[in-house]
Amino acid sequence: MQEALNDLESGEILSREQAALLRRIYGRELFSVHWELRLLLYGGILILTTGLGLLVAKHFASIGHLTLLATIALGCAACFAYCLRHGGGFSRDGLPTPDAAYDYVLLLGCLLLGTLQGYLELRYQLLAQYWNWWLLVSALTYLLCAHYFDNRLVLSLALSTLGAWLGVKTSLLGAGLWDGTLRDNALFFGALVVAAGAVQTRLGWKRHFLPVHLHLGVNVLLAALVAGVAPRATGPAYLAGLLLAGSGSALYALRERSFAFLLYAVLYGYLGITIFVFNRGHWSSEGGILYFLVSAASLLTALVALHRRFRSAE
């Protein structure tokens, strides 16, 4: 590398300053802390909003309702005002981020908006037993903000909140964890999220949002299919659906060189097959231990080999 830099510098392809900078990077004197800073910002926003929520829940009587309402509302308005001032406005395509804080200020504004809605419901019981509709209002608001401000963090928040609304709405009808109704709704939601991302991409609308749709949608879809493998009546159909969806995820991973989707396919597939096999066979404790030792070792070896192939292809 040093010889190549010397040749480029002597050939006047690189200036002395450029070559010196590349030598420092190659010698690891300079390194990027971009993702570390983003993680710290994201963690700080979550801690701040969690602390605010706990403060509201514990001390709202002593602080005063109007004071809390005004403080949260002003903080939320300040965040959105900052984003409106510094953002580039709506566009069908991706927009460059104005500064490092922009995405996280918008995320903070959205979370403060959710805190404000929760406080209003806690204090004034505006929707009473229909409080779960606040989740739908929040999800649609976040979705609008994500598309207007071109923010994938808020898009993730919007889709997960929409899924939470669907889950809460189903549970209020008396559905248990992963029973038929909730499982079917999860299948519908996962497929809808994936389809929405595909349609958006097809129409040339926010193409860079597709990975967010796929990561969430594929995980929800595969998890719901795994949950349906255990019952003897529906198990074979759900296992077939799991293998089909997993194959689609693996094919997408190979086409787009995205190891995460291959990992989803393998792990969920392994979990589903294991549940199916153990629910329909009589296994001794020794046989079960042997199965997990052999299958887990084989799975780990295959994943390491596949990851190396993906790395080498890049």
Side-chain angles (χ1 to χ4, degrees), residues 115-236:
T115 303
L116 180 63
Q117 291 173 334
Y119 178 72
L120 286 171
E121 182 60 31
L122 177 68
R123 176 67 182 88
Y124 299 107
Q125 300 288 307
L126 299 178
L127 297 180
Q129 68 268 32
Y130 302 106
W131 65 267
N132 59 297
W133 289 99
W134 279 116
L135 288 172
L136 180 60
V137 172
S138 297
L140 295 178
T141 304
Y142 299 156
L143 203 60
L144 177 63
C145 290
H147 284 82
Y148 182 81
F149 294 106
D150 192 53
N151 192 292
R152 282 175 285 189
L153 275 175
V154 177
L155 177 64
S156 301
L157 181 63
L159 295 177
S160 57
T161 305
L162 189 60
W165 168 75
L166 189 61
V168 170
K169 184 174 183 293
T170 305
S171 65
L172 290 176
L173 298 176
L177 182 63
W178 288 122
D179 80 340
T181 305
L182 188 58
R183 192 167 57 236
D184 291 344
N185 281 346
L187 286 172
F188 169 75
F189 176 71
L192 180 65
V193 170
V194 171
V199 170
Q200 254 188 230
T201 303
R202 184 77 175 178
L203 296 175
W205 182 289
K206 301 289 185 185
R207 294 175 184 270
H208 56 295
F209 279 2
L210 179 62
V212 178
H213 282 266
L214 292 182
H215 280 291
L216 178 63
V218 167
N219 273 286
V220 172
L221 188 61
L222 292 177
L225 289 168
V226 168
V229 168
R232 288 186 174 272
T234 60

Side-chain angles (χ1 to χ4, degrees), residues 215 246-266 301-314:
H215 280 291
S247 299
S249 180
L251 289 174
Y252 178 83
L254 294 173
R255 191 186 73 180
E256 300 295 328
R257 314 305 305 173
S258 176
F259 182 72
F261 289 97
L262 183 61
L263 187 65
Y264 300 153
V266 173
T301 303
L303 286 175
V304 170
L306 289 169
H307 186 255
R308 286 178 177 173
R309 289 189 63 181
F310 270 71
R311 291 283 299 272
S312 62
E314 291 175 358

